[in-house]
Amino acid sequence: MSYRLDKPCSDVDRADFIVKYNHKQGLRIEETENAIFALLENEIMKNNEPVENPNYENELIEARKTLFEQEFFYTSLGWIRRIVNMKDGSKKDFLSDLLLQIKAGLELGQVVEIITYSQPDFSQEISEEYMISLQERKNATLEFIGECLKRTVMDFGG
């Protein structure tokens, strides 16, 4: 349930309320003629009063899906993480830092194993542990390399 500060209130009380609920807790502040509200994630304003957002779950699912599609791209082998964690702890951009090495390895006849992901269930929290459970190791193919090159061109704006 949201938090409320009735008006009139002092400038100090108003500032303290905003600091406590917005700056420290990240709640959204809404102001009406009669009060200042700090809304929980699942609340919206309706008729100058906070109410539960009936679309909250669908909006949360859409937000998770949008974030996932920014951090991953789809190929015939599965979803590929754009920024990958290397064994040494460093991070690499899959398309700009690793793709040409993978392509060269395939051209030399090597088996190049990559980590792909299944698409998550966006109705649940997307934690790193959950993402690890969706991993699958697959061998890169020339078709996969072509898809990645096309993705690079699409990302570039072509």
Side-chain angles (χ1 to χ4, degrees), residues 50-135:
V51 296
E52 193 169 312
N53 180 354
N55 298 317
Y56 178 71
E57 286 300 320
N58 290 335
E59 291 171 4
L60 191 57
I61 288 168
E62 275 306 307
R64 287 175 179 153
K65 183 177 185 221
T66 298
L67 182 61
F68 176 80
E69 290 174 352
Q70 290 170 353
E71 295 177 355
F72 292 78
F73 63 94
Y74 187 72
T75 70
S76 59
L77 297 180
W79 288 90
I80 304 297
R81 188 182 291 263
R82 289 179 174 274
I83 304 297
V84 298
N85 297 314
M86 304 303 285
K87 286 182 182 179
D88 67 1
S90 64
K91 294 185 181 294
K92 301 274 185 180
D93 183 294
F94 187 89
L95 294 172
S96 64
D97 297 333
L98 302 174
L99 184 58
L100 291 180
Q101 290 90 329
I102 294 169
K103 181 179 183 288
L106 287 179
E107 289 172 349
L108 292 172
Q110 296 178 343
V111 174
V112 181
E113 194 174 72
I114 59 168
I115 296 175
T116 66
Y117 294 79
S118 299
Q119 183 171 326
D121 174 1
F122 298 112
S123 66
Q124 62 179 301
E125 186 71 31
I126 309 292
S127 66
E128 194 57 36
E129 294 78 24
Y130 177 49
M131 291 308 299
I132 289 170
S133 77
L134 299 175
Q135 288 181 351

Side-chain angles (χ1 to χ4, degrees), residues 4 7 9-10 15 34-35 66 77 79 103 109 136 138 145:
R4 176 185 181 123
K7 290 182 176 178
C9 60
S10 71
N34 300 319
T66 298
L77 297 180
W79 288 90
K103 181 179 183 288
E136 189 174 342
K138 295 186 180 171
I145 297 298

Side-chain angles (χ1 to χ4, degrees), residues 39-58:
L39 303 180
L40 301 180
E41 281 186 359
N42 66 338
E43 293 178 319
I44 58 173
M45 293 296 287
K46 188 173 185 178
N47 300 324
N48 288 327
E49 289 294 325
V51 296
E52 193 169 312
N53 180 354
N55 298 317
Y56 178 71
E57 286 300 320
N58 290 335

